[in-house]
Amino acid sequence: MNCQNAKPTERNRPALKMSFSTKVLVPLVSIMVLLLVVTAWLVNRRITTQFRADAARSLETADSVFRSSENLHAKNLLLRFSNLPNDPRYKAAFQSKRLQSLRDAIKDLPTEQGVDVALFTSSKPDLRASAQRDPHMPVAEFQISSTAASRQALSGAPQVDTIRVGDRLFDVVSVPIFGSGGIPIFGGGSSDVPTGVLTIGSEIGDSVARELSLVTHNQIVLLANGHVVASTVPGSELREQFARLFGDATRETSSRRGPRQVLLGEDHYFCAAGKFTSLSGDAGLGYLLLASYEQPLRAFHSTQKTVLLVSGLGILLGTLIVSLLVRKLTEPLRQLQASADAIGHGDFSHQVEITSDDECGELARAFNRMTENLKRSREELERTVTTLKTTQAQLIQSEKLSGLGEFVAGVAHELNNPLTSVMGFSELLVQAPGHPNQARYLELILKSSQRCQKIVQSLLTFARLHPPERRLSNVNALIEGAVEFMQYQFRTGNIELVTRLDPALPEAMLDGHQMQQVFLNILNNARQAIEAKGGHGRVLISTQSLPPRMCIVFEDDGPGIAQ
């Protein structure tokens, strides 16, 4: 089947077209942004880890300082109050064993000594005197909580203890009093048996917590019986959380104890817990040390944002500079593209301007040389094509002449039949003037003569050399002419030639002589193939209008053509 398209198909162009500058800038900017993000992430991770490690180490140091401060505070309390019973203002009252004298002696003691409560208890249960700065102070509960220290002081040695009175913490010092004037020995006994004990209590409150915070450089939370009694961390809503943290920390085994990271509100802390030494074994007395690294971390994040902003501006500026450089570097490429387009349209006079002596300049010189070579090659090719066209026309004419001998025999045979009829009917007309069949004889003579003329014209058309030309032609008529010319060869070769031509076939703009030559070559090839196979054959020629196409089909029952 031979089908011709009315319009040539167009190639699909790529949907996405990226310029050279885009191909350079996108990977470059992506790498810079990725490098910036990875660097920021690594620095943030390292700095945060360092802050946490510093906070944990600071907390461990603060815990040691806190315990040392507590021990030092206990020694200072002993040194301060161990000789108080020998003070002349109190000594006589303590030795008189009169209740009123005792009360008068110690009523101003809390104010003078800067303590919160003073309690005298004798070895006899019916003698007791107390004084406190806070009138709401539960002295009875204070006496019960300080019993452990008082009892041990009755053995002759001063004692220091931390006790809980309700939800309040106190540092207490219990000093033995000797009726015969004996002096207590610090850290040991005395020469006489104590007749009573003077217990002095100093509340551990917010002021003490602030002092400890200044010493340890960390936040302090003091707890008693699961309640916060003093804290340097602002916010009352955190007290329950402090109690839970202390409970969790004190329940851990010694192998697991250590600073833990906690979140209090929006701040991050490291937390360490400890217990106060209690003579009564009260496990609910303790403290929390909190070390925060939030402020340096926020300062670092602020600096990091500034660095990222500056880096982003640097990337934008670098992208702009690289874009300008790429544009300048690709200017010769755009000139090359314009020159290539001009050459593609047949303009070989376009030359690339050489603006530098670098690789781009060398490329421009090479392109100009290539243009000159292409121009010369095109001129030579045009001359060669002209020669080939002349040679082709001569070969076509030679092929026609070579086939003319084969066709002449058939034409002569075809001419012989109608000429015989012309001659026979002419003799009849001469011999029988006025014969009733003269009109029919004359008609037969005319038809035979016209057929001879048509055959001769076809022969002349085939043998004549025509210049190429296009004009509106009837394809069906061209096929019929070729069939008429080959009729004799097909009939003598026992080959049936059948035509099914579409009468609605439109005229086409083509070279009729060349198309008829094509039809003759196809028919001759079909005849030769069928004769080589031997036996009867059949050739079918059909035309069909399939807008915007025109189909011409040649079918035969020959052996076919190998794939």
Side-chain angles (χ1 to χ4, degrees), residues 494-505:
N494 198 22
I495 301 172
E496 181 183 6
L497 187 58
V498 182
T499 58
R500 295 176 184 174
L501 307 180
D502 186 359
L505 197 68

Side-chain angles (χ1 to χ4, degrees), residues 62-204:
D63 190 38
S64 299
V65 172
F66 184 88
R67 294 180 183 276
S68 299
S69 298
E70 279 295 300
N71 294 331
L72 183 61
H73 181 64
K75 292 180 181 179
N76 289 335
L77 288 175
L78 286 174
L79 290 175
R80 179 181 176 186
F81 296 113
S82 60
N83 290 324
L84 189 61
N86 296 321
D87 191 316
R89 292 177 297 173
Y90 309 116
K91 184 176 182 180
F94 292 153
Q95 292 179 354
S96 68
K97 299 181 181 180
R98 291 194 298 270
L99 181 60
Q100 187 60 40
S101 298
L102 290 172
R103 289 177 177 175
D104 292 339
I106 68 172
K107 67 177 182 179
D108 296 327
L109 191 148
T111 304
E112 294 176 356
Q113 298 296 328
V115 296
D116 293 287
V117 61
L119 175 65
F120 173 81
T121 57
S122 68
S123 56
K124 298 179 180 181
D126 57 343
L127 186 62
R128 182 177 69 86
S130 63
Q132 71 270 9
R133 286 196 294 181
D134 184 3
H136 301 290
M137 171 70 186
V139 179
E141 188 174 352
F142 177 83
Q143 180 181 2
I144 296 173
S145 300
S146 61
T147 300
S150 300
R151 287 178 178 175
Q152 292 189 24
L154 287 173
S155 64
Q159 297 294 325
V160 179
D161 194 9
T162 302
I163 65 172
R164 173 176 58 87
V165 180
D167 292 334
R168 302 165 70 179
L169 280 176
F170 288 86
D171 278 333
V172 297
V173 177
S174 293
V175 181
I177 298 174
F178 300 90
S180 59
I183 300 175
I185 302 173
F186 179 72
S190 67
S191 59
D192 297 323
V193 176
T195 59
V197 176
L198 176 63
T199 302
I200 298 174
S202 178
E203 184 175 3
I204 305 174

Side-chain angles (χ1 to χ4, degrees), residues 419-432 441 445:
L419 288 177
T420 301
S421 300
V422 171
M423 293 172 61
F425 290 117
S426 298
E427 290 178 356
L428 291 176
L429 289 176
V430 172
Q431 296 177 2
Y441 294 159
I445 290 172

Side-chain angles (χ1 to χ4, degrees), residues 351-371:
Q351 294 289 317
V352 179
E353 182 181 0
I354 301 174
T355 58
S356 62
D357 293 331
D358 54 8
E359 291 82 357
C360 292
E362 292 297 327
L363 180 60
R365 292 188 185 91
F367 188 87
N368 291 335
R369 290 194 297 269
M370 182 193 70
T371 303

Side-chain angles (χ1 to χ4, degrees), residues 404-421:
L404 185 61
E406 181 180 352
F407 292 132
V408 165
V411 172
H413 190 275
E414 286 292 317
L415 289 175
N416 184 55
N417 292 334
L419 288 177
T420 301
S421 300

